[in-house]
Amino acid sequence: MEQNITTTVFYLLAFVILASAFGVVRSTDVFHNALYLVLCFLGVAGLFLLLRADFLAAVQVLIYAGAVTILVIFAIMLTRRPDMSKSNLPNQRQGPAFVLAGLLFITMVLAFTSTDWSLSVQAVPEQTTRLIGQLLLNEYVWPFEIVSVVLLVALIGALILARED
Amino acid sequence: MSPIGLNHFLILSAALFVISLWGILAKRNGVAILMSIELMLNSVNIAMVAFSRYITPTVLTGQIFAIFIITIAAGEAAIGLAIILLIYRHRKTIDADEIDLMKW
């Protein structure tokens, strides 16, 4: 019974994610693209919950569906044009790009299905947040500190780039 | 219905990746290209968390990697959008086909 629910939820989320990703790529109104993007991010957050990654699901909703989307909508509003419905047209390389993407997809699926993964039978810890906090401040403390410097550099760089002079 | 395994998540992640690759290659609007890049990073996160769940469930390496990817993606979005605003201010367009000053 639980298996069936998991399967149904997976296919539902997969449909939402792929359909909204398709909307992001195909819709010609750039504002609609941003709205589809939010839907896709929320679908991925649901997928993280299905994978027992509760902390990451919360981070996904906060950072992607919250912060990044606001940033994108700001950029859309600041680069507005008169006719929004034609603000995001595809270029003339659509066909070759589609073929390339399709070939890459087939290659990846063949690679995934032919690999013999060494699956583990152990269960995921009930709550991952405490474990992630301990890992970040012990084993991964150097990457953690370096990534905070990267964020600071990105912040200052964005300010310098975007200010009026 | 067959139970959901690692391959289901990996194939979903690959599908999301190639859809956003299509978007990156076939879009004109600079903001739309950045959105597709965000989707691409998200598809990598799905693969990372799926590996973490099915291959190393107790040490959470994949989830830590996903956190770092999210952080870098946020920085990338801020810098990328700042660059796009700068280009718009100078050239009044964000059409990636018209930004060809460095093309020979």
PDB file of all heavy atoms in Angstrom, chain A residues 118-123, chain B residues 53-57:
ATOM      1  N   SER A 118      25.845  -0.108  -6.716  1.00  0.00           N
ATOM      2  CA  SER A 118      25.986  -0.857  -5.459  1.00  0.00           C
ATOM      3  C   SER A 118      25.019  -0.268  -4.428  1.00  0.00           C
ATOM      4  O   SER A 118      25.386   0.553  -3.596  1.00  0.00           O
ATOM      5  CB  SER A 118      27.421  -0.773  -4.959  1.00  0.00           C
ATOM      6  OG  SER A 118      27.791   0.581  -4.847  1.00  0.00           O
ATOM      7  N   LEU A 119      23.761  -0.697  -4.525  1.00  0.00           N
ATOM      8  CA  LEU A 119      22.715  -0.123  -3.681  1.00  0.00           C
ATOM      9  C   LEU A 119      22.905  -0.551  -2.235  1.00  0.00           C
ATOM     10  O   LEU A 119      23.341  -1.664  -1.950  1.00  0.00           O
ATOM     11  CB  LEU A 119      21.343  -0.580  -4.168  1.00  0.00           C
ATOM     12  CG  LEU A 119      20.933  -0.064  -5.535  1.00  0.00           C
ATOM     13  CD1 LEU A 119      19.577  -0.604  -5.911  1.00  0.00           C
ATOM     14  CD2 LEU A 119      20.896   1.448  -5.530  1.00  0.00           C
ATOM     15  N   SER A 120      22.573   0.360  -1.337  1.00  0.00           N
ATOM     16  CA  SER A 120      22.660   0.056   0.087  1.00  0.00           C
ATOM     17  C   SER A 120      21.274  -0.263   0.624  1.00  0.00           C
ATOM     18  O   SER A 120      20.281   0.294   0.163  1.00  0.00           O
ATOM     19  CB  SER A 120      23.253   1.250   0.831  1.00  0.00           C
ATOM     20  OG  SER A 120      23.069   1.086   2.198  1.00  0.00           O
ATOM     21  N   VAL A 121      21.199  -1.168   1.593  1.00  0.00           N
ATOM     22  CA  VAL A 121      19.891  -1.529   2.145  1.00  0.00           C
ATOM     23  C   VAL A 121      19.622  -0.789   3.445  1.00  0.00           C
ATOM     24  O   VAL A 121      18.544  -0.920   4.024  1.00  0.00           O
ATOM     25  CB  VAL A 121      19.796  -3.044   2.388  1.00  0.00           C
ATOM     26  CG1 VAL A 121      19.661  -3.788   1.067  1.00  0.00           C
ATOM     27  CG2 VAL A 121      20.985  -3.553   3.171  1.00  0.00           C
ATOM     28  N   GLN A 122      20.581   0.016   3.917  1.00  0.00           N
ATOM     29  CA  GLN A 122      20.395   0.709   5.185  1.00  0.00           C
ATOM     30  C   GLN A 122      19.344   1.806   5.036  1.00  0.00           C
ATOM     31  O   GLN A 122      19.134   2.338   3.946  1.00  0.00           O
ATOM     32  CB  GLN A 122      21.712   1.331   5.640  1.00  0.00           C
ATOM     33  CG  GLN A 122      22.664   0.302   6.199  1.00  0.00           C
ATOM     34  CD  GLN A 122      24.044   0.881   6.345  1.00  0.00           C
ATOM     35  OE1 GLN A 122      24.640   1.327   5.376  1.00  0.00           O
ATOM     36  NE2 GLN A 122      24.550   0.873   7.556  1.00  0.00           N
ATOM     37  N   ALA A 123      18.723   2.151   6.154  1.00  0.00           N
ATOM     38  CA  ALA A 123      17.670   3.167   6.128  1.00  0.00           C
ATOM     39  C   ALA A 123      18.284   4.548   6.321  1.00  0.00           C
ATOM     40  O   ALA A 123      19.360   4.695   6.894  1.00  0.00           O
ATOM     41  CB  ALA A 123      16.662   2.892   7.224  1.00  0.00           C
TER      42      ALA A 123
ATOM     43  N   ARG B  53      20.306   8.909  -1.133  1.00  0.00           N
ATOM     44  CA  ARG B  53      19.256   8.077  -0.538  1.00  0.00           C
ATOM     45  C   ARG B  53      19.508   6.589  -0.781  1.00  0.00           C
ATOM     46  O   ARG B  53      19.271   5.764   0.095  1.00  0.00           O
ATOM     47  CB  ARG B  53      17.919   8.487  -1.140  1.00  0.00           C
ATOM     48  CG  ARG B  53      16.775   7.514  -0.988  1.00  0.00           C
ATOM     49  CD  ARG B  53      16.065   7.719   0.332  1.00  0.00           C
ATOM     50  NE  ARG B  53      14.843   6.929   0.391  1.00  0.00           N
ATOM     51  CZ  ARG B  53      14.827   5.638   0.653  1.00  0.00           C
ATOM     52  NH1 ARG B  53      15.946   4.991   0.870  1.00  0.00           N
ATOM     53  NH2 ARG B  53      13.678   4.988   0.709  1.00  0.00           N
ATOM     54  N   TYR B  54      19.969   6.244  -1.991  1.00  0.00           N
ATOM     55  CA  TYR B  54      20.012   4.826  -2.363  1.00  0.00           C
ATOM     56  C   TYR B  54      21.392   4.191  -2.217  1.00  0.00           C
ATOM     57  O   TYR B  54      21.499   2.982  -2.119  1.00  0.00           O
ATOM     58  CB  TYR B  54      19.524   4.630  -3.805  1.00  0.00           C
ATOM     59  CG  TYR B  54      18.040   4.770  -3.922  1.00  0.00           C
ATOM     60  CD1 TYR B  54      17.477   5.939  -4.395  1.00  0.00           C
ATOM     61  CD2 TYR B  54      17.198   3.737  -3.511  1.00  0.00           C
ATOM     62  CE1 TYR B  54      16.096   6.066  -4.486  1.00  0.00           C
ATOM     63  CE2 TYR B  54      15.828   3.864  -3.603  1.00  0.00           C
ATOM     64  CZ  TYR B  54      15.298   5.030  -4.087  1.00  0.00           C
ATOM     65  OH  TYR B  54      13.943   5.165  -4.156  1.00  0.00           O
ATOM     66  N   ILE B  55      22.476   4.971  -2.241  1.00  0.00           N
ATOM     67  CA  ILE B  55      23.813   4.356  -2.207  1.00  0.00           C
ATOM     68  C   ILE B  55      24.517   4.604  -0.878  1.00  0.00           C
ATOM     69  O   ILE B  55      25.082   3.688  -0.294  1.00  0.00           O
ATOM     70  CB  ILE B  55      24.651   4.842  -3.404  1.00  0.00           C
ATOM     71  CG1 ILE B  55      24.004   4.308  -4.685  1.00  0.00           C
ATOM     72  CG2 ILE B  55      26.079   4.341  -3.315  1.00  0.00           C
ATOM     73  CD1 ILE B  55      24.741   4.626  -5.926  1.00  0.00           C
ATOM     74  N   THR B  56      24.498   5.848  -0.370  1.00  0.00           N
ATOM     75  CA  THR B  56      25.116   6.100   0.939  1.00  0.00           C
ATOM     76  C   THR B  56      24.101   6.752   1.871  1.00  0.00           C
ATOM     77  O   THR B  56      24.216   7.932   2.197  1.00  0.00           O
ATOM     78  CB  THR B  56      26.332   7.032   0.805  1.00  0.00           C
ATOM     79  OG1 THR B  56      25.891   8.234   0.158  1.00  0.00           O
ATOM     80  CG2 THR B  56      27.442   6.418   0.002  1.00  0.00           C
ATOM     81  N   PRO B  57      23.086   6.012   2.332  1.00  0.00           N
ATOM     82  CA  PRO B  57      22.021   6.650   3.110  1.00  0.00           C
ATOM     83  C   PRO B  57      22.455   7.135   4.487  1.00  0.00           C
ATOM     84  O   PRO B  57      21.826   8.035   5.028  1.00  0.00           O
ATOM     85  CB  PRO B  57      20.953   5.554   3.233  1.00  0.00           C
ATOM     86  CG  PRO B  57      21.638   4.300   2.923  1.00  0.00           C
ATOM     87  CD  PRO B  57      22.842   4.593   2.114  1.00  0.00           C
TER      88      PRO B  57
END
